[in-house]
Amino acid sequence: KEDTKRSAVSTAFGDLDLPYEITLVECALAIILYLIIGVIGYSFVFENWSIVDSLYFTIVTGTLVGFGDIVPSSHASKIFTSIFAMTSIVFFGLVIGVLGSRLAEYQVSAVENANKEMTKKVTGFFRLKKKRGQGQPLSSGLFSRTNSTESLMSLTSNA
């Protein structure tokens, strides 16, 4: 296992190897930080809204829903909101990409583990039959025929 985690990111130009892999904890902390920046910006810097209104507006703007029930009033807050909404696209895209990557890695790992377990069980089954004097060696019975279903059926029917 490598000391530094590596990640391959698909780009239009091929694969880009990154020296650092973002963790789920870092994604959660980044979402919390994003919400805190929005609340501070709208409650204390630009609009003097309540914390609840600021959090609501931050979530509505960050998810690009934009109900329009609360709107920024000053030019500075409109600029902040524009930049905030644009960065939310990139930010939430990154978080969703990391979550999707982890889910895919988990699925691949689960399939590999299931294959290993099945291989152990099948190998153990044929070794047990060979010890009892039943069956054929694995290479002559299973892989010499073209139809693997027929081969498995013939090997297990002697059990």
Side-chain angles (χ1 to χ4, degrees), residues 1-6:
K1 195 172 182 180
E2 295 181 20
D3 290 336
T4 58
K5 293 181 179 179
R6 304 292 290 180

Short mmCIF file of all heavy atoms in Angstrom, two decimals, residues 1-6:
data_model
loop_
_atom_site.label_atom_id
_atom_site.label_comp_id
_atom_site.label_asym_id
_atom_site.label_seq_id
_atom_site.Cartn_x
_atom_site.Cartn_y
_atom_site.Cartn_z
N LYS A 1 0.85 -1.18 0.00
CA LYS A 1 0.00 0.00 0.00
C LYS A 1 0.89 1.24 0.00
O LYS A 1 1.85 1.33 0.73
CB LYS A 1 -0.90 -0.04 1.23
CG LYS A 1 -2.04 0.90 1.16
CD LYS A 1 -2.98 0.65 2.32
CE LYS A 1 -4.16 1.58 2.22
NZ LYS A 1 -5.08 1.36 3.31
N GLU A 2 0.52 2.20 -0.82
CA GLU A 2 1.35 3.40 -0.94
C GLU A 2 1.21 4.28 0.29
O GLU A 2 0.18 4.30 0.95
CB GLU A 2 0.92 4.19 -2.17
CG GLU A 2 1.18 3.48 -3.47
CD GLU A 2 0.74 4.34 -4.66
OE1 GLU A 2 0.62 5.56 -4.49
OE2 GLU A 2 0.53 3.76 -5.71
N ASP A 3 2.28 5.03 0.59
CA ASP A 3 2.23 5.95 1.71
C ASP A 3 1.31 7.13 1.41
O ASP A 3 0.58 7.59 2.27
CB ASP A 3 3.63 6.46 2.05
CG ASP A 3 4.50 5.37 2.65
OD1 ASP A 3 3.93 4.41 3.21
OD2 ASP A 3 5.73 5.47 2.55
N THR A 4 1.38 7.63 0.22
CA THR A 4 0.51 8.75 -0.16
C THR A 4 -0.64 8.20 -0.97
O THR A 4 -0.47 7.35 -1.84
CB THR A 4 1.28 9.79 -1.00
OG1 THR A 4 1.79 9.15 -2.15
CG2 THR A 4 2.41 10.40 -0.18
N LYS A 5 -1.82 8.68 -0.66
CA LYS A 5 -3.00 8.23 -1.39
C LYS A 5 -2.99 8.88 -2.77
O LYS A 5 -2.66 10.04 -2.92
CB LYS A 5 -4.27 8.62 -0.63
CG LYS A 5 -4.42 7.88 0.66
CD LYS A 5 -5.69 8.29 1.34
CE LYS A 5 -5.87 7.53 2.63
NZ LYS A 5 -7.07 7.91 3.33
N ARG A 6 -3.37 8.12 -3.76
CA ARG A 6 -3.41 8.62 -5.12
C ARG A 6 -4.84 8.54 -5.63
O ARG A 6 -5.58 7.64 -5.29
CB ARG A 6 -2.50 7.80 -6.04
CG ARG A 6 -1.05 7.72 -5.60
CD ARG A 6 -0.33 9.00 -5.70
NE ARG A 6 -0.14 9.33 -7.10
CZ ARG A 6 0.47 10.42 -7.51
NH1 ARG A 6 0.94 11.27 -6.65
NH2 ARG A 6 0.60 10.66 -8.79
#
